[in-house]
Amino acid sequence: MSRVIKEFTKGLWKEIPPLRFVLGLCPTLAVTGHVSSALGLGCGVIFVLLVSNTLISMFRNFIPTKIRVPVFIVIIASAVTIVELTMEAYFYSLYKVLGIWIPLIVVNCLILGRAEAFARKEPVLLSIADGLGMGLGYTISLVILASIREIIGTGKWFGIQVLPSSYIGFKLMQEPPGAFICLGLILAFMNLISVKFEKKKSTC
């Protein structure tokens, strides 16, 4: 059980995908102008990671090594299709906002990376823990980045006014340069915390 917890929690800080490995940055920067779209994409990624990690781990001994990548992509694409059709049927406004970024989950480096580096080598339970932890870490990263951009950029959060109505908004935060600035600040903050933690750990 300790191994399961370890594999789950690593994606929440130690190996949080966009901030530690800098994976999946294109959708991360593209959909984080608003929290709702960031949360929607994050939930889709969680589902795809869980499905792909589980199935690839279950059938890892039956997938020929030479064709493993095409097989992985077929599994991932099938899960993405489920996400896309579900969003189109039940969350159409979110589906229109996310647009091309939903099918592009198929080629997200994070998804294929977990399949290749982890799921094809480890048992099902550990692969589920890995997929869930990485997916949650990815989603949390998106939501934090989107929250900063939306609040500073518009004075709103989830479309609700949280700053005084007189606040005119810092429009740069809603543009691509604002996404890079916010991401850089978050990375710097995380690195600062990690350095302080390591120093404290070494002195104990």
Side-chain angles (χ1 to χ4, degrees):
M1 184 58 69
S2 60
R3 175 82 191 278
V4 174
I5 295 173
K6 178 183 177 182
E7 298 301 342
F8 171 74
T9 55
K10 71 183 181 185
L12 302 178
W13 179 262
K14 185 179 179 181
E15 297 182 15
I16 192 166
L19 304 178
R20 294 298 189 188
F21 295 144
V22 200
L23 293 176
L25 277 191
C26 289
T28 298
L29 299 175
V31 306
T32 52
H34 298 279
V35 180
S36 57
S37 57
L39 183 60
L41 183 67
C43 290
V45 169
I46 290 173
F47 177 81
V48 174
L49 270 170
L50 280 174
V51 171
S52 61
N53 267 24
T54 301
L55 292 178
I56 289 167
S57 178
M58 285 176 62
F59 298 108
R60 68 187 188 280
N61 295 325
F62 303 99
I63 300 174
T65 302
K66 291 183 179 180
I67 62 168
R68 68 184 187 281
V69 173
V71 173
F72 295 168
I73 291 175
V74 168
I75 293 172
I76 293 167
S78 300
V80 171
T81 300
I82 294 172
V83 170
E84 186 174 15
L85 293 176
T86 301
M87 281 193 182
E88 187 176 9
Y90 298 104
F91 307 98
Y92 189 66
S93 59
L94 179 61
Y95 171 80
K96 288 202 301 182
V97 170
L98 290 177
I100 190 64
W101 296 110
I102 303 173
L104 282 178
I105 293 174
V106 175
V107 292
N108 191 314
C109 298
L110 169 62
I111 312 291
L112 188 58
R114 298 323 299 167
E116 176 68 18
F118 196 90
R120 77 181 184 94
K121 303 173 184 177
E122 301 291 347
V124 175
L125 187 58
L126 292 179
S127 297
I128 291 174
D130 175 80
L132 184 59
M134 288 292 176
L136 283 173
Y138 182 79
T139 303
I140 291 169
S141 302
L142 261 62
V143 169
I144 292 174
L145 181 58
S147 296
I148 296 171
R149 293 183 65 194
E150 186 174 359
I151 292 172
I152 298 177
T154 67
K156 298 179 180 180
W157 190 71
F158 266 110
I160 300 171
Q161 192 73 36
V162 293
L163 294 181
S165 56
S166 58
Y167 181 73
I168 61 173
F170 187 41
K171 299 304 180 184
L172 177 65
M173 288 296 105
Q174 294 288 289
E175 302 296 331
F180 279 104
I181 292 170
C182 288
L183 182 65
L185 291 174
I186 293 172
L187 285 169
F189 180 70
M190 287 189 65
N191 287 335
L192 181 63
I193 292 176
S194 297
V195 168
K196 287 189 175 182
F197 179 78
E198 290 298 326
K199 285 183 178 179
K200 185 176 180 182
K201 187 177 179 181
S202 62
T203 56
C204 291

